[in-house]
Amino acid sequence: GAVVSQHPSWVICKSGTSVKIECRSLDFQATTMFWYRQFPKQSLMLMATSNEGSKATYEQGVEKDKFLINHASLTLSTLTVTSAHPEDSSFYICSAPRTGGAGDTQYFGPGTRLTVL
Amino acid sequence: KQEVTQIPAALSVPEGENLVLNCSFTDSAIYNLQWFRQDPGKGLTSLLLIQSSQREQTSGRLNASLDKSSGRSTLYIAASQPGDSATYLCAPTGNQFYFGTGTSLTVIP
């Protein structure tokens, strides 16, 4: 079946550094990918829609200059958390839709847990 | 590995009906369980979050229950409306997210 991978699965970094998270669709192409984050004891929230070959679309309240998204190919989207701070510590997850005969099926990555010290 | 099953896979009901969506999961070691809706071409919208210590959560016409020991959750939608038409996903969450394959709901006006 279709698989979406994320790398790294967890990362610990110092405050002020930047962290890049990769999301890959392993056996299908995705012109669109979605990025989410979840803070402890809160719901998963959509951050942005990543579009291959064009700019990402950010949800209200998400800083586009802080969360840089690059959808460089049909199988790879990256999320870079720039100048990370402890309040950015969260669980980040991506998803990618695969179009089939019955419509789109959304496949999710396993997530990346970011801890900023 | 957590396995999540949602039944039914698809559901079509006339407007106004009450309905129940089912979710079962194999690993009860979860922190919480979330229900989401997904509209075509869109990202997920969070509907309800149930912490592992809770048994149910309510939001408007939606009520979700959780029986962690038996690995089951249900989403109850009261007085369904055409705007409820979407795919509904459950996600029991431990160290990772695990999503069900979803129930595609169509509410007929």
Side-chain angles (χ1 to χ4, degrees), chain A residues 69-89:
Chain A
I69 292 174
N70 183 20
H71 198 144
S73 75
L74 289 172
T75 60
L76 173 64
S77 175
T78 60
L79 168 68
T80 301
V81 183
T82 63
S83 187
H85 288 91
E87 57 265 30
D88 298 322
S89 298

Side-chain angles (χ1 to χ4, degrees), chain B residues 89-100:
Chain B
L89 296 160
C90 74
T93 303
N95 290 323
Q96 289 184 341
F97 271 94
Y98 292 97
F99 288 87

Side-chain angles (χ1 to χ4, degrees), chain A residues 36 38 41 43-44 91 106, chain B residues 34 38 43-44 46 51 97:
Chain A
Y36 308 83
Q38 184 179 37
K41 297 189 177 182
S43 296
L44 190 72
F91 191 79
Q106 197 78 215
Chain B
Q34 301 183 56
Q38 183 177 37
L44 297 180
S46 178
Q51 299 292 350
F97 271 94

Side-chain angles (χ1 to χ4, degrees), chain A residues 6 17 21 34-35 44 66 70 73 91:
Chain A
Q6 279 185 242
T17 61
I21 303 171
F34 300 99
W35 285 97
L44 190 72
K66 181 170 183 62
N70 183 20
S73 75
F91 191 79

Side-chain angles (χ1 to χ4, degrees), chain A residues 9 32 34 36 38 40-46 49 91 93 95 97 104-106 108-111 113, chain B residues 31-32 34 36 38 40-49 51 89 93-97 99-101:
Chain A
S9 56
T32 301
F34 300 99
Y36 308 83
Q38 184 179 37
K41 297 189 177 182
Q42 295 185 24
S43 296
L44 190 72
M45 299 299 294
L46 179 65
T49 302
F91 191 79
I93 191 167
S95 70
D104 283 355
T105 299
Q106 197 78 215
F108 294 88
R113 190 168 297 280
Chain B
Y31 302 136
N32 58 58
Q34 301 183 56
F36 299 90
Q38 183 177 37
K42 305 291 186 181
L44 297 180
T45 299
S46 178
L47 298 174
L48 289 164
L49 167 68
Q51 299 292 350
L89 296 160
T93 303
N95 290 323
Q96 289 184 341
F97 271 94
F99 288 87
T101 52

Side-chain angles (χ1 to χ4, degrees), chain B residues 6-17:
Chain B
Q6 288 188 244
I7 296 173
L11 183 62
S12 182
V13 299
E15 181 177 4
E17 272 203 7

Side-chain angles (χ1 to χ4, degrees), chain B residues 4-85:
Chain B
V4 185
T5 304
Q6 288 188 244
I7 296 173
L11 183 62
S12 182
V13 299
E15 181 177 4
E17 272 203 7
N18 302 324
L19 55 99
V20 176
L21 308 182
N22 297 292
C23 172
S24 62
F25 49 97
T26 56
D27 186 353
S28 61
I30 61 172
Y31 302 136
N32 58 58
L33 184 143
Q34 301 183 56
W35 281 93
F36 299 90
R37 71 172 278 166
Q38 183 177 37
D39 295 286
K42 305 291 186 181
L44 297 180
T45 299
S46 178
L47 298 174
L48 289 164
L49 167 68
I50 310 176
Q51 299 292 350
S52 61
S53 58
Q54 298 175 320
R55 293 194 65 84
E56 68 177 318
Q57 280 286 335
T58 298
S59 176
R61 294 182 293 108
L62 305 179
N63 175 275
S65 67
L66 173 64
D67 184 343
K68 200 174 75 162
S69 61
S70 67
R72 295 180 188 276
S73 177
T74 61
L75 178 66
Y76 176 84
I77 303 176
S80 58
Q81 302 171 358
D84 295 332
S85 297

